[in-house]
Amino acid sequence: MSAGSVAVVVTEEIGVPSWDLYELSIPCTVFGKPQPDLAEPWYDLRLCGTGTAGQDAAHPFAFQVRTPYGLDDLVGADTVIVPSVPDACVEEGAPMPQGLTDALRRAHAAGARVVSLCNGAFALAEAGLLDGRRATAHWQHTGQLAARYPKVEVDDSVLYVDEGDVLTSAGLTAGLDLCLHLVRRDLGAHVANQLARRMVVPAHRPGGQAQFIDLSVPEADDASLSPVLEWARQRLDRPLTVDDLARRAAMSPRTLYRRLQAATGTTPLRWLLNQRLARAQSLLEATDLPVEKVGELSGLGTANNLRHHFLKHVGVSPSDYRRAFSRAGQEVPRGA
């Protein structure tokens, strides 16, 4: 097992916005600080910029990164990491920084494993490195990634995806999960576990990013549905059927189905399930009620049924979710 060289792409043309520093700092922290008691030699880290030296930052919240390495230095690295790409590339479909996609292709063809954190997946997809592969990104961007690059099998439920020579992670802290996974692959579980302890983070987190997604469906565009949906939210602890909602809305079940799907993008039964899951999440976060009581108040039934739905739709057990997000002591309104 060996560490090897890691080339981290700094993709901002003129300065790195402060909000992108987190993803940039993750590989710098994991691979850049020598750990001689864990492995010697440690990784050889280099920052490779896409901008032009001497340019001023693009806005007052940007930082400039001065590095002697450019995109040509990606070729020859054992691992190439793209922590992020400019927001305009994701939100507006702007071109990737000049030369980046070609450099990624050349580095991959030369034998590098190529890694993205958060929205860095858009650079890998633009380079064609994700075609026919499973990949992920921050859950807020996975829909855009799937729509823009239909050849990519986008999975928005996981923290990271390891396809061997191409790896992708979800947003923010999921990048740390992936970097520790790389250390585990390169240097073994003991080294990765010890490094995680020094960083005061779990060596491996349970579940995926599904646990972080807001399961409550957005408000319906059809204003006439709002009263019946609010009525249902106030009664999640009771048995509710599509017929019940239809009667309350004074329409047929078929009409309710059609109008709710058009307004929210989901079916009445799925809407009810999402509301029950969101209610259970709120109770787990803000109270210390037993799991059995959470299942009862959310309408998900027994503790076993609650556990089944959490594992299937949230990706973790109710107990693991509570440990991760608990803010017990705050009172949750009945209709939350």
Side-chain angles (χ1 to χ4, degrees):
M1 292 183 289
S2 62
S5 58
V6 177
V8 179
V9 179
V10 183
T11 58
E12 290 295 337
E13 291 293 324
I14 311 174
V16 181
S18 55
W19 49 85
D20 284 341
L21 286 177
Y22 184 75
E23 284 90 353
L24 178 59
S25 70
I26 289 172
C28 292
T29 302
V30 172
F31 304 112
K33 182 179 180 181
Q35 307 285 345
D37 59 321
L38 296 182
E40 184 64 38
W42 194 247
Y43 293 87
D44 173 23
L45 179 75
R46 67 190 67 160
L47 297 180
C48 300
T50 65
T52 302
Q55 288 180 311
D56 292 330
H59 47 72
F61 300 109
F63 292 78
Q64 289 181 288
V65 177
R66 299 185 180 277
T67 173
Y69 302 106
L71 291 177
D72 289 342
D73 295 294
L74 299 185
V75 178
D78 297 301
T79 301
V80 173
I81 300 178
V82 184
S84 63
V85 297
D87 288 344
C89 297
V90 177
E91 304 297 340
E92 303 166 19
M96 290 291 161
Q98 186 175 4
L100 175 58
T101 52
D102 179 61
L104 291 173
R105 293 189 198 102
R106 288 188 290 116
H108 183 255
R113 69 181 171 194
V114 182
V115 179
S116 67
L117 312 183
C118 196
N119 68 16
F122 283 79
L124 273 59
E126 186 68 22
L129 300 182
L130 299 182
D131 288 356
R133 297 178 186 259
R134 183 165 157 261
T136 194
H138 192 291
W139 61 267
Q140 289 183 311
H141 301 310
T142 48
Q144 293 165 298
L145 184 66
R148 196 173 302 171
Y149 304 101
K151 293 182 180 179
V152 182
E153 181 186 343
V154 179
D155 187 343
D156 65 0
S157 68
V158 294
L159 294 176
Y160 59 82
V161 174
D162 183 344
E163 288 278 303
D165 59 341
V166 177
L167 301 91
T168 55
S169 85
L172 297 170
T173 306
L176 180 54
D177 293 299
L178 178 52
C179 287
L180 287 171
H181 172 70
L182 292 173
V183 174
R184 191 178 301 113
R185 269 184 48 173
D186 296 338
L187 301 172
H190 174 74
V191 172
N193 292 345
Q194 291 301 309
L195 181 60
R197 289 185 64 190
R198 293 176 185 184
M199 300 179 72
V200 200
V201 296
H204 180 75
R205 286 194 292 164
Q209 65 174 329
Q211 62 190 297
F212 305 103
I213 299 175
D214 183 3
L215 292 173
S216 56
V217 177
E219 293 295 325
D221 292 334
D222 188 339
S224 66
L225 292 175
S226 296
V228 68
L229 298 185
E230 182 57 30
W231 176 84
R233 286 192 192 95
Q234 297 295 333
R235 292 162 176 78
L236 292 174
D237 57 337
R238 310 175 195 179
L240 288 172
T241 66
V242 176
D243 286 343
D244 292 332
L245 270 65
R247 277 194 297 270
R248 182 70 184 182
M251 60 183 68
S252 69
R254 178 176 294 181
T255 299
L256 175 72
Y257 185 101
R258 175 175 52 79
R259 288 177 59 177
L260 186 62
Q261 188 166 49
T264 68
T266 191
T267 66
L269 285 178
R270 180 69 195 197
W271 182 89
L272 274 172
L273 176 59
N274 283 344
Q275 295 301 314
R276 295 188 192 283
L277 286 167
R279 173 67 172 158
Q281 288 175 314
S282 294
L283 290 168
L284 290 168
E285 292 171 17
T287 76
D288 57 2
L289 290 171
V291 172
E292 292 80 5
K293 191 65 174 177
V294 171
E296 177 186 331
L297 292 176
S298 63
L300 290 172
T302 66
N304 284 338
N305 201 42
L306 176 68
R307 189 173 298 109
H308 165 77
H309 283 295
F310 256 66
L311 289 172
K312 181 177 181 180
H313 300 288
V314 184
V316 294
S317 70
S319 298
D320 283 338
Y321 185 88
R322 170 170 272 164
R323 277 192 289 270
F325 297 101
S326 176
R327 46 187 173 89
Q330 302 180 33
E331 183 178 352
V332 179
R334 179 179 177 82

